[in-house]
């Protein structure tokens, strides 16, 4: 029995060693994530909503500039069912999900200010979203994590969503008018200024009514109420815009700045020739703020390498082609104005190196030649001389803006209301104000972002404004006057492609945007709904109309534009 | 075989430790018949009594016998038992002959328990040291390739230490881990890749999986537990099978006295193959030279101009030898000399100022000859693999010690690329005087890799990711006339990158940019065992396995992908503790019934830490420290902790020596599951019937056994999958300097109602030896169902989330495994030809991909190209865009462009799963010579090849030189709006007659990277000479005057030849590549990572 005693002694020792040395090994209550908070307050969520919302805005901005003849981004309409997967997914699971959490919690807590701000933001972003995609999940969205979870949100009719968003704006005004002890923090747009949020609520409503005016018989009356009340964005101080910072790490600069100036590989798309040409022709004082030339060297069409680098060199049907060597362009810009076309002029014009609309050619090694965005809206360089933009790294400004809804945009709404809806007002005077307000912002941003920037003389501005006003005056009827105004809006809204795209689908103006040299599909009446959503969401429409077919048009689009 | 027979655990064999004081003493030595060496651990029992002993490490024993005529029974696993009458002798020496019947071979099974194969109801495969050592392969996983049925191994690529994927019996998870559990010397051994924080496949494919920390030369044996029944005792983590590795230090094999083994190898490493490039046309497009283009669609090389003008254009001067004009100075507008062009770098900013000797005084670049260059071959170098190892083992009466030291350095084929592994280990066993057996070992490994940026090149051009300047983004696609290896690649004063386009020059990347990893790993274990009674023993085993992987990635300032430069420090720590305590009961009931059981418990804890700091904007060139950057951001500072404990029992009932029933069961408690579902139980049952013992079979059958097993394995999930969280973002500072802290609701919806997932598996098999073991057959059929899986399911984002963690899905794996061992020739003069076949055929069917019917995993960065699981299809299909076709399968052609066009939605365009794989090892031996060749054959399976897509797009391949005419794509006209054929006047489809240039054919929506994804999918059937080894063992008689006990020299080669007949002709791309890290479920893509290599080397092994 000696053995047995020894055995037990040993056994006991071993068991004790194991259990004592490792008793915590049996504690399984350790599954709380030590790396991430389990809840977040409004002040933490709101910046995510706003930053994510701006990201969403910029995500569509280049393509809509492409649709509208400004940038060579999607300008042949080669859109597919995968083009916007990321945009769509990011919208719902990113800022709008966080926004939904704010709205739900603020409503439950009776936190009227956050609720009001949340409602305005939701109204704006969803209106933009509907304008782009048409019918989308709205009433049943964000329900994946709810007690009665729904991961197959139904797609709501675009018209119904519009009605709900207008209601949301009204609710926001009510909530923002309530007194609340809780201040708003974490607000990157208005720094918690409730009055400005209220103005935005009314402006968003104005925008919704303006977009849908052809489908809504009562729109005119409602628009009049807002305009008469005047409590909407009317001055630059109220502008709903996002201003970027100058930080290189993490890069918080304007996305166009990031792609044009930071790396040696200028990844920014081409700026199209038409706006460059016209701004040169009209001596538009904004031209050196909008476009930055990189080169003054004229390529030689006889040299094989240069030949295949020159825009449109492998394509027929271009209007502007390589402007520095294009006789038609030279005639209009110089000869017709009684000016000789000198070697200096040619060097100058060589810097306007972009593309004709719909030039489908591949990408030659031209990143040191292409015209890039200037100081507006990206806060890049002022075009006082041709110089290479790329490889600036942490240097330069980049603290540009995303002009989401500005005082001049509301003025263009007002002009449209006067000319198209017969609401009383002096459209011409408002038009002049709109132009001057926009130019003031362009110049101010230019002066703050590049020390070499030079403000245009008052004379130059006056000359230009008068030129445009003369065109307005010459227009024979209200429709044509609206065409002139919206052509000017086309220049003014550089930096906000959605605004141009909506105006165009609503009115068909401006009517003189270059017809694409080539196009793969017809003009997109909305964006293709992404396959990832439609294949995963069982409630999604299974056979959506092609994005360029009339059936795809947004409910308020009565024009259903099509290239003939 | 012989070694297997000798393998022995003290645990099993030390049943007889105590001898009672008796009347007389007999001593003796037990030796092996074959080579006369002493056999340790042989059981010596006095017949008809309970007294007995074991032989010591030299095979000596001493036993006290009662008076009278007694017999001693000598038994040892794997040998024929002998019974000897002692008579009056006081010395009884015995020779034990090995039992040639294979079924008595010993294999290592769960918890390191050794068992006779005859009793096993499931398939186990094993390999020995000589199957793995000195095969020109430093990666232990790749060294297993082709040698074991049911096991599929895929190397990730050719960088030193680059990760390897291993799958046993298919895939058991849709979105989770499919890699088996590694157990080294009885303790789990983490085999993660730990990508994440330091970048994905886009930025660095050179990351290792941590099994790379094992030196294949230090492996004593490998045993693979494949099925659920075999693995049940390992519990949750064995759901993907278990790789059991016994190292030399952990081996309990006792050798007489002192043995010192030294081995040394030197291998040369080269890239396995390069594409057949065309050298007829230069860079440009549409047959025009353009010194700034990437593609090779330009004019013919000047040397080809006359020939093409003559042959194609009847002497007309379609092409000239003029390719550049002077841009400045008096010659402005005049051509450069015939056959030359301006150096393409001139167009780069400030080039002439920085390189006055490469420009003339007016700013024109110097003329350079337009001739083809071996761009890739001139860039890659000859690598090397050097291995040295020293192993010392010493065995005394009651103790044995083993120490080893090894060092491997591997220089890769990319300049500056290097990996190394240094390991030290020390292990031993001792039988203490109080009867306790103690054994253990400690190991230390230092593994390093250092690579220039190796990201899969696909991401640069098509995937929408920046790939941090990967050299493989460009190297294979550069213009043939571009003299990469001689042109300057940096600006002299600033050290900034210089290339003909604003892209990172591969040479610049190699010089300045790196991705380093240093792993320090320590692991060890200790086992105490004690025999409580002859039928009962107790064992407790504990071990720790811990490592820190210090990674650092940096890129110099002045590049294109990262203009400011960055330094990323990523420190990953992993620690695992594992304890087992178990009782073993061995009891026979009469002559007919045997019983053995293991009852035990297991506790396991795993913890990780990770700290990732990225410093951007390097202040001082060459100083690659995070604190020497302008801004530092802590990207991740995280830790995880998970625990699991379980109790288990494993019983085996034997009837006579031919029928065995095994029953196992285990209950686990895991911290990662919701409290209510933390505990889960799973059983297994096995049956083995040895026909050859039970029945009178014909004489040609040496052995025959049939077996069946059914088992279930439960599994938990990763930690923190239960509750939803709000990850914090990087603090945002606005234009005015105000700071905004922020958080966002997680995009993954966690699940508080998760249940454990279960896999059940049925396997049946048979083992037969025929014709005096000339033929051995081991055949297994299995079918497993992994259900109720915990998957991160992609859901529609309108739900507010991108992913939802759910219990869903059902995967069925069915397959056949065949192991054949043949001796086709065995001559009296000693010549022998051995042949081993490992055949695997597995069908992994996704029976249910969850409520959405499919799970898209992506994997390429594009939202419509990637891996998809779809209900009813095989696992992990290739999903991508497809050209529109009519009902008869004709391509629809856009009349305007002459090109095909895409269908409105992506489709399944390929099945990456092989039909079967077969490894054939032939060994020829004659006296001291031996020759071994492993040929493996992978039949079927598709792959999307970005390498092929890019080479086609860029006009690089020799098969694209026919460019002078127009091409018409076979097909009928169709409408891109309706996807229907456009009918002619006769109501019939109209044949396409629109001619297009070869450039358009490959460059636009046709047949290259910009075409629909389906055109770049290839069948990757491959036949490969994976291993070749020819060796000579110096006969002992030649060594008697030397200090050496034995000496062996060999020549070995790896991946020397391969053929993928169905891939694009002239591509010469080795399809053995991974499109992501091995812990991902993405498969079927070559995204342009480092191609494979081949090695040829010499090896030397000496023992003292």
């Amino acid at each position: 029995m000696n053995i047995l005693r020894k055995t037990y002694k040993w056994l006991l020792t071993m068991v004790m060693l194991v259990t004592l040395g490792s008793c915590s090994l049996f504690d399984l209550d350790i599954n709380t994530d030590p790396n991430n908070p389990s809840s977040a307050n409004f002040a933490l969520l709101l910046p995510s909503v706003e930053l994510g919302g701006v990201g969403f805005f910029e995500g569509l901005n280049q393509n809509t500039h492409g649709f509208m003849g400004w940038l060579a981004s999607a300008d042949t309409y080669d859109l597919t069912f995968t083009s916007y997967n990321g945009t769509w997914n990011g919208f719902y699971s990113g800022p709008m999900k966080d926004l939904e959490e704010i709205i739900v919690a603020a409503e439950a807590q009776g936190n009227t200010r956050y609720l009001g701000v949340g409602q305005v933001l939701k109204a704006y972003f969803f209106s933009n979203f509907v304008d782009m995609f048409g019918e989308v999940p709205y009433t049943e969205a964000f329900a994946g994590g709810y007690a009665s979870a729904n991961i197959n949100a139904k797609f709501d009719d675009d018209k119904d969503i519009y009605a709900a968003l207008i209601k949301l704006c009204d609710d926001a005004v009510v909530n923002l008018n309530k007194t609340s002890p809780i201040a708003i923090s974490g607000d990157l747009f208005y720094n918690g200024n409730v009055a400005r949020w209220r103005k935005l609520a009314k402006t968003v409503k104005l925008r919704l009514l303006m977009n849908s005016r052809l489908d809504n018989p009562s729109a005119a009356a409602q628009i009049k109420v807002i305009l008469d009340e005047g409590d909407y964005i009317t001055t630059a101080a109220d502008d709903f815009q996002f201003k970027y910072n100058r930080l290189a790490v993490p890069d918080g600069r304007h996305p166009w700045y990031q792609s044009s100036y930071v790396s040696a590989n200028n990844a920014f798309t081409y700026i199209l020739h038409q706006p460059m040409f016209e701004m040169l022709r009209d001596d538009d004082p904004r031209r050196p703020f909008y476009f930055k030339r990189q080169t003054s060297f004229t390529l030689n069409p006889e040299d094989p390498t240069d030949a295949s680098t020159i825009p449109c060199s492998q394509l027929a049907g271009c209007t502007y082609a390589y402007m520095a060597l294009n006789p038609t362009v030279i005639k209009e810009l110089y000869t017709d104005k009684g000016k000789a076309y000198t070697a200096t002029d040619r060097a100058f014009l060589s810097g306007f190196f972009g593309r004709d609309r719909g030039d489908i050619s591949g990408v030659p090694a031209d990143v040191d030649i292409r015209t890039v965005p200037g100081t507006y809206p990206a806060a890049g360089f002022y075009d006082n001389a041709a110089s290479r933009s790329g490889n600036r790294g942490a240097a330069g400004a980049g603290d540009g803006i995303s002009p989401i809804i500005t005082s001049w945009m509301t003025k263009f709404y007002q002009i449209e209301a006067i000319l198209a809806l017969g609401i009383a007002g002096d459209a011409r005077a408002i038009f002049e104000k709109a132009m001057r307000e926009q130019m003031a912002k362009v110049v101010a941003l230019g002066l703050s972002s590049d020390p070499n920037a030079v403000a245009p003389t008052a004379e130059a501005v006056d000359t230009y404004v008068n030129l445009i006003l003369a065109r307005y005056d010459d227009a024979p009827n209200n429709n044509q006057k609206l065409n002139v105004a919206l052509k000017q809006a086309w220049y003014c809204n550089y930096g906000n492609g959605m605004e141009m795209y909506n105006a165009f689908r609503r009115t068909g103006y401006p009517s003189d945007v270059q017809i694409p040299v080539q196009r793969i599909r017809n003009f997109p009446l909305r964006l293709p709904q992404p396959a990832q959503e439609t294949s995963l969401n069982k409630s999604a429409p299974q056979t959506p109309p092609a994005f360029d077919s009339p059936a795809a048009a947004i409910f308020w689009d009565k024009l259903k534009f099509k290239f003939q | 075989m012989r070694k297997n027979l000798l393998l022995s655990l003290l645990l099993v064999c030390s049943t007889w430790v105590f001898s009672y004081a008796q009347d007389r003493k007999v001593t003796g030595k037990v030796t092996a018949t074959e080579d006369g060496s002493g056999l340790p651990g042989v059981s010596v029992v006095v017949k008809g009594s309970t007294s007995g002993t074991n032989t010591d490490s030299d095979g000596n024993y001493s036993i006290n016998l009662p008076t009278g005529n007694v017999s001693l029974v000598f038994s040892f696993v794997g040998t024929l038992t002998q019974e000897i009458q002692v008579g009056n002798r006081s010395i009884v020496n015995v020779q034990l002959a090995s039992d040639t019947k294979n079924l008595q071979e010993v294999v290592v099974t769960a918890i390191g328990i050794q068992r006779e194969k005859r009793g096993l109801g499931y398939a186990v495969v094993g390999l020995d040291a000589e199957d793995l050592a000195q095969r020109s392969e430093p990666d232990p996983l790749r060294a297993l390739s082709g040698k074991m049925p049911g096991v599929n191994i895929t190397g990730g690529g050719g960088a030193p230490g680059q990760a390897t994927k291993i799958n046993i019996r298919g895939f058991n998870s849709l979105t989770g881990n499919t890699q088996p559990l590694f157990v080294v010397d009885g303790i789990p051994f983490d085999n993660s890749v730990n990508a994440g924080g330091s970048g994905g496949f886009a930025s660095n494919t050179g990351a290792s999986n941590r099994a790379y920390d094992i030196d294949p030369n230090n492996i004593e044996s490998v045993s693979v537990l494949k099925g659920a029944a075999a693995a049940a005792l390992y519990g949750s983590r064995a759901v993907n099978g278990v790789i059991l590795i016994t190292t030399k230090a952990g081996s309990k094999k006792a050798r007489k006295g002192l043995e010192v083994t030294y081995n040394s190898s030197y291998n040369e490493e080269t890239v396995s193959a390069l594409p057949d490039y065309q050298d007829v046309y230069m860079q440009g497009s549409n047959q025009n030279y353009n010194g700034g283009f990437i593609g090779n669609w330009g004019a013919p090389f000047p040397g080809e101009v006359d020939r093409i003008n003559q042959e194609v254009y009847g002497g007309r001067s379609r092409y000239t030898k003029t390719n550049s004009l002077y841009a400045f100075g008096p010659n402005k507008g005049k051509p450069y000399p015939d056959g030359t062009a301006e150096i393409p770098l001139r167009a780069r900013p400030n080039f002439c100022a920085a390189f006055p000797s490469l420009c003339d005084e007016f700013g024109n670049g110097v003329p350079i000859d337009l001739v083809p260059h071996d761009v890739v071959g001139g860039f890659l170098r000859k690598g090397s693999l050097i291995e040295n190892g020293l192993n010392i083992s010493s065995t005394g009466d009651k103790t044995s010690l083993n120490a080893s030291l090894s060092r491997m350095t591997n220089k890769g084929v990319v300049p500056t690329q290097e990996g190394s592994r240094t390991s030290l280990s020390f292990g031993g066993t001792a039988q203490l005087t109080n009867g306790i057996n103690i054994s253990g070992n400690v190991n230390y490994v230092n593994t390093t890799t250092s690579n220039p940026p190796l990201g899969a090149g696909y991401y640069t051009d098509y995937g929408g990711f920046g790939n941090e300047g990967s050299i493989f983004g460009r190297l294979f696609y550069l213009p043939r006339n571009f003299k990469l290896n001689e042109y300057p690649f940096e600006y002299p004063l600033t050290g900034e990158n210089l290339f003909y386009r604003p892209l990172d020059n591969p040479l610049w990347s190699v010089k300045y940019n790196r991705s380093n990893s240093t792993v320090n790993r320590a692991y060890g274990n200790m086992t105490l065992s004690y025999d409580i009674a002859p039928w009962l023993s107790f064992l407790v085993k504990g071990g720790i396995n811990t490592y820190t992987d210090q990674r650092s990635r940096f890129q110099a300032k002045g590049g294109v992908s990262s203009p400011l430069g960055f330094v990323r420090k990523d420190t990953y720590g992993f620690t695992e503790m594992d304890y087992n305590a178990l009782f073993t009961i061995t009891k026979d009931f009469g002559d007919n019934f045997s019983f053995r059981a293991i009852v035990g418990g297991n506790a396991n804890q795993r913890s990780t830490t990770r700290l990732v700091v990225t410093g951007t904007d390097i202040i001082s060139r060459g100083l690659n420290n995070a604190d020497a950057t302008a801004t530092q951001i802590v990207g991740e500072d995280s830790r995880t902790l998970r625990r699991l404990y379980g109790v288990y029992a494993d019983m085996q009932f034997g009837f006579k020596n031919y029928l065995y029933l095994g029953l196992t069961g285990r209950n686990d408690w895991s911290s990662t599951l919701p409290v209510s579902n933390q505990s889960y139980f799973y059983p297994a049952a096995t049956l083995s019937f040895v026909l050859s013992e039970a029945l009178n079979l014909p004489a040609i059958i040496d052995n025959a056994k049939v077996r069946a097993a059914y088992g279930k394995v439960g599994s938990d999930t990763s930690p923190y999958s239960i509750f939803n969280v709000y990850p914090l973002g990087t603090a945002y500072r606005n234009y005015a300097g105000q700071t905004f802290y922020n958080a966002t609701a997680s995009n993954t919806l966690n699940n508080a109602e998760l249940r454990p997932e279960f896999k059940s598996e049925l396997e049946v098999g048979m083992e037969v030896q025929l014709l005096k073991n000339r033929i051995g057959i081991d055949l297994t059929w299995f079918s497993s169902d992994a259900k109720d899986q915990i998957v991160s399911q992609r859901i529609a984002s309108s739900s507010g989330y991108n992913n939802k963690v759910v219990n869903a899905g059902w995967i069925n794996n069915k397959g056949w495994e065949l192991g054949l061992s043949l001796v086709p020739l065995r001559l009296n003069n000693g010549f022998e030809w051995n042949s081993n076949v490992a055949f695997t055929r597995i069908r992994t069917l996704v029976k249910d991909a969850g409520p959405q019917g499919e799970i898209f995993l992506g994997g390429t960065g594009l939202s419509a190209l990637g891996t998809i699981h779809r209900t009813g299809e095989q696992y992990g299909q290739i999903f991508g865009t497809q050209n529109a076709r009519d009902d008869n399968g004709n391509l629809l052609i856009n009349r305007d462009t002459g090109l095909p066009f895409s269908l409105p939605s992506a489709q399944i365009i390929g099945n990456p799963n092989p039909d079967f794989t077969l490894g054939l090892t032939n060994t020829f031996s004659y006296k001291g010579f031996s020759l071994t060749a492993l040929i493996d054959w992978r039949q079927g399976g598709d792959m999307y090849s970005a390498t092929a897509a890019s080479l086609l797009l860029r006009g690089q391949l020799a098969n694209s030189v026919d460019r002078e005419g127009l091409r018409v794509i076979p097909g009928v006209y169709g409408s891109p709006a309706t996807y229907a054929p456009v009918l002619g006047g006769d109501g019939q489809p109209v044949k396409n007659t629109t001619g297009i240039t070869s450039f358009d054919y490959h460059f636009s929506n046709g047949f290259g990277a910009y075409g629909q994804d389906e055109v770049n999918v290839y069948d990757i059937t491959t036949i490969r000479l994976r291993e070749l080894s020819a060796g000579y063992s110096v006969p002992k008689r030649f060594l008697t005057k030397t200090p050496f006990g034995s000496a062996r020299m060999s020549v070995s080669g790896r991946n020397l030849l391969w053929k993928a007949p169905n891939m694009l002709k002239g591509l010469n791309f080795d399809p053995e590549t991974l499109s992501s890290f091995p812990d991902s479920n993405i498969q079927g893509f070559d995204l342009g990572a480092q191609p494979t290599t081949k090695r040829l080397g010499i090896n030397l092994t000496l023992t003292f």
Side-chain angles (χ1 to χ4, degrees), chain A residues 27 81 101 245 303 536 538, chain B residues 325 643 726 733 851-852 904:
Chain A
D27 175 10
F81 54 93
E101 300 229 342
N245 63 31
D303 179 274
L536 289 169
K538 289 192 166 53
Chain B
L325 305 179
R643 295 197 183 112
Y726 292 79
R733 277 172 63 207
Q852 308 297 117

Side-chain angles (χ1 to χ4, degrees), chain B residues 260-278:
Chain B
V260 179
T261 310
Y262 168 72
N263 61 59
S264 181
S265 307
Y266 176 81
N267 282 269
E268 226 169 56
E269 182 170 308
T270 50
V271 67
S272 62
L274 293 178
D276 294 339
Y277 283 101
Q278 63 86 17

Side-chain angles (χ1 to χ4, degrees), chain B residues 491-560:
Chain B
Y491 285 95
L493 292 177
T494 60
E496 284 183 24
N497 169 64
L498 171 65
F499 205 20
Y500 76 107
R501 272 177 90 108
L503 297 165
D504 286 327
N505 190 315
L507 290 167
W508 186 80
S509 295
V510 158
K511 181 168 176 186
Y512 290 113
N513 304 337
R514 301 218 70 72
S515 182
N516 293 329
S517 156
T518 302
V519 175
N520 284 298
R521 184 166 196 156
Y523 56 99
N525 65 77
M526 191 179 279
T527 307
L528 297 172
S529 66
Y530 184 71
D531 297 306
I532 299 161
W535 54 272
L536 179 66
S537 67
F538 177 74
L539 174 147
V540 58
K541 178 164 195 151
I544 285 191
N545 198 325
T546 180
Y547 63 82
T548 307
D549 187 351
Q550 288 172 293
R551 299 183 185 180
S552 117
R553 271 171 71 62
F554 51 85
Q555 258 179 254
K557 205 170 185 150
V560 176

Side-chain angles (χ1 to χ4, degrees), chain B residues 794-1043:
Chain B
R794 188 74 181 78
I795 56 174
S797 298
S798 60
S799 65
Y801 302 88
N802 293 335
N803 291 286
K804 184 179 183 184
V805 179
V806 289
N807 281 98
W810 175 10
I811 297 176
N812 174 266
N813 283 289
K814 252 193 196 70
W816 289 94
E817 299 162 359
L818 174 65
L820 267 181
S821 57
L822 306 170
V823 187
L825 209 57
R826 181 183 280 153
L827 302 178
N828 288 335
N829 64 9
F831 179 85
E832 189 165 300
W833 172 18
N834 278 286
S835 200
N836 276 292
V837 175
F839 171 86
T840 308
R841 182 190 192 280
I842 296 171
R843 288 290 173 275
T844 306
L845 189 67
V846 178
K847 291 205 142 179
D848 178 9
Q852 308 297 117
E854 62 182 38
I855 296 178
F856 181 67
L857 300 177
T860 64
L862 296 183
S863 55
L865 178 64
T867 293
I868 196 169
H869 299 307
R870 184 176 281 175
T871 302
E873 300 282 347
Q874 283 191 48
Y875 185 87
Q877 300 284 300
I878 304 172
F879 184 72
T881 56
Q882 208 169 21
N883 283 316
R885 287 184 170 77
D886 70 7
D887 294 340
N888 301 321
N890 297 309
L891 279 180
L892 295 184
I893 306 292
N894 183 336
R895 192 191 290 265
D896 298 335
T897 61
L899 287 163
F901 50 89
S902 149
L903 281 173
S905 59
Q907 319 282 328
I908 288 176
I909 55 172
N911 175 9
N913 300 295
D915 297 335
F916 64 80
T917 57
L918 190 150
L920 172 64
T921 310
N922 279 304
T923 304
F924 305 91
S925 50
Y926 177 66
K927 295 189 173 160
F929 292 96
S930 69
L931 174 69
T932 301
L934 166 60
I935 294 167
D936 67 27
W937 173 15
R938 173 205 158 101
Q939 175 62 42
D942 296 328
M943 184 171 79
Y944 173 93
S945 174
T947 304
S950 279
L951 288 169
L952 286 173
L953 173 79
R954 306 293 181 199
Q956 297 275 14
L957 293 174
N959 61 16
S960 71
V961 293
D962 176 20
R963 300 183 180 184
E964 296 302 324
L966 289 182
R967 301 181 182 191
V968 175
I969 299 171
V972 299
Y973 288 126
S975 156
T978 62
Y979 307 104
V982 174
L983 302 181
D986 57 355
Q988 293 301 308
V990 185
K991 244 180 106 175
N992 172 35
T993 52
T994 309
I996 55 170
T997 63
S998 53
F999 172 70
D1000 285 340
Y1001 184 86
H1002 286 300
F1003 201 84
S1004 39
N1005 292 354
F1007 301 89
Y1010 296 155
Q1012 304 314 318
D1013 301 323
E1014 66 164 342
V1015 306
N1016 297 310
V1017 172
Y1018 299 95
D1019 172 297
I1020 56 164
T1021 296
T1022 314
I1023 296 179
R1024 184 188 309 272
L1025 175 58
R1026 189 176 290 278
E1027 272 183 23
L1028 189 68
S1029 169
Y1032 178 63
S1033 296
V1034 180
K1036 292 213 162 114
R1037 62 179 187 277
F1038 294 153
L1039 297 170
T1040 46
K1041 297 244 168 91
T1042 71

Side-chain angles (χ1 to χ4, degrees), chain B residues 365-382:
Chain B
V366 294
I368 46 110
D369 288 334
L370 288 173
V371 291
H373 299 282
D374 180 10
V375 179
V376 186
F379 177 86
L380 298 177
R381 66 173 183 182
K382 205 169 261 180

Side-chain angles (χ1 to χ4, degrees), chain B residues 25-132:
Chain B
K25 191 170 181 174
V26 170
T27 59
K29 182 168 185 174
V30 182
T31 54
T33 314
E34 281 78 6
D35 60 2
S37 64
L39 284 176
V42 176
S43 152
V44 185
V45 184
V46 180
K47 193 180 179 189
S49 82
T50 54
S51 76
T53 185
N54 286 329
T55 56
D56 66 14
S57 52
D58 288 330
N60 296 316
Y61 71 95
S62 150
I63 188 167
N64 291 312
L65 297 184
T67 46
N69 192 12
V70 292
S71 295
L72 285 177
V73 179
F74 296 84
S75 61
F76 187 62
V77 270
T79 64
L80 293 170
T81 300
Q82 278 202 39
E83 188 179 323
I84 290 174
Q85 289 225 334
V86 179
N88 294 325
R89 289 180 287 176
S90 59
I91 297 175
V92 177
N93 292 329
V94 177
Q95 286 200 329
L96 290 183
S98 67
D99 187 339
T100 54
K101 294 185 175 180
N102 245 332
L103 294 180
Q104 279 163 321
E105 189 184 327
V106 172
V107 292
V108 180
T109 65
I111 327 266
I113 297 156
Q114 296 200 338
R115 290 193 173 173
E116 284 185 37
K117 230 178 162 182
R118 78 160 77 214
L120 294 180
Y122 47 79
V124 176
V125 285
L127 290 174
D128 293 337
E130 59 256 45
D131 297 322
L132 303 170

